[in-house]
Amino acid sequence: RQYLLRNERKMSDSEDDFDFDDDQEMNRIREARIAEMKFHARTEQTQVDRGHGEYKEIEQDNFLRNVTESKQVVVHFFHKDFTRCKIIDKHFEILAPRHLGTKFLRIDVEKAPFFVGKLQIKVLPAIICFIDGIAQDRIVGFEELGNTDSFKTEVLARRLAMAGVLSMGETSFTRKDKSMKSRDREPDSDD
């Protein structure tokens, strides 16, 4: 009988040790996850501070600064009277808040003659994809987007991903659009 009591105590003690070890392991995992979340929050805030997460218009004078200060930048060269440019604007307004790893910009071709000439912009809409400040790819017109005005946002996102300026599997730098209701009202928003 004493033998049984001693074994029960030993088992009880080893279970306590096991629970303690589990607690230490869980604390280590929890601390690592908290550190990871803090890192991603800091990274996201840095991106937002650099103008990521919004689709904004820039002027010729600050074009180079905007294109070179971020790793991945997409610039839409537009004309205010072109319907197809307005269609690109609509899609970029959807994509920008969802892909913080990429900076989305637009520049009026009438106000940026130097860069229109330098980048040989001849057809609108024109989208230039920059990686580390260097133009890597371009999307001209809608030919690569289905050659229709009613292409889906996902088609443009996939094309930007092919250019290397957008990650389709982006999770750490993606934040959901705060107004999900407005996204749900978009008839062609399928992402």
Side-chain angles (χ1 to χ4, degrees):
R1 191 172 150 117
Q2 285 180 337
Y3 175 75
L4 287 173
L5 286 173
R6 270 189 303 210
N7 281 340
E8 282 180 17
R9 279 191 211 128
K10 283 183 183 178
M11 287 177 61
S12 177
D13 290 345
S14 67
E15 285 175 2
D16 289 343
D17 289 344
F18 184 72
D19 288 342
F20 180 70
D21 288 341
D22 276 353
D23 287 346
Q24 284 182 332
E25 182 65 16
M26 288 302 290
N27 283 337
R28 187 189 65 73
I29 292 169
R30 185 180 306 112
E31 302 250 343
R33 182 65 182 132
I34 289 170
E36 181 182 356
M37 289 169 61
K38 285 180 179 179
F39 171 77
H40 289 299
R42 280 191 307 271
T43 303
E44 183 175 303
Q45 188 58 50
T46 299
Q47 299 292 54
V48 169
D49 291 346
R50 288 184 181 165
H52 293 237
E54 63 181 330
Y55 179 46
K56 69 177 186 175
E57 186 170 340
I58 59 169
E59 295 182 5
Q60 182 168 277
D61 292 344
N62 57 15
F63 179 85
L64 287 176
R65 181 182 54 80
N66 274 283
V67 167
T68 58
E69 77 179 357
S70 297
K71 180 167 180 59
Q72 299 168 313
V73 179
V74 177
V75 181
H76 171 212
F77 284 79
F78 78 96
H79 188 282
K80 66 181 183 259
D81 296 329
F82 284 30
T83 302
R84 285 191 160 187
C85 290
K86 292 174 184 171
I87 292 169
I88 293 294
D89 287 340
K90 183 185 82 163
H91 291 292
F92 276 8
E93 287 172 6
I94 292 168
L95 290 172
R98 295 184 189 168
H99 297 278
L100 291 184
T102 304
K103 184 186 244 185
F104 288 84
L105 303 170
R106 65 194 299 255
I107 190 164
D108 188 338
V109 293
E110 291 183 318
K111 297 177 182 175
F114 176 78
F115 289 107
V116 167
K118 194 74 171 161
L119 294 168
Q120 300 176 356
I121 306 295
K122 295 178 180 160
V123 176
L124 296 179
I127 300 167
I128 309 295
C129 304
F130 292 88
I131 298 175
D132 293 324
I134 299 169
Q136 297 291 326
D137 200 354
R138 63 180 55 217
I139 303 168
V140 179
F142 284 8
E143 289 79 24
E144 295 180 67
L145 306 172
N147 212 16
T148 177
D149 290 0
S150 60
F151 66 88
K152 301 211 178 275
T153 302
E154 183 180 354
V155 171
L156 179 56
R158 287 178 198 240
R159 178 58 182 84
L160 293 171
M162 285 177 28
V165 292
L166 193 81
S167 173
M168 293 299 286
E170 208 169 63
T171 54
S172 59
F173 298 120
T174 301
R175 83 176 166 193
K176 295 292 181 189
D177 188 2
K178 290 180 182 175
S179 59
M180 292 302 284
K181 290 179 183 125
S182 68
R183 187 192 113 207
D184 292 340
R185 280 184 258 142
E186 292 291 335
D188 65 344
S189 176
D190 60 344
D191 27 66

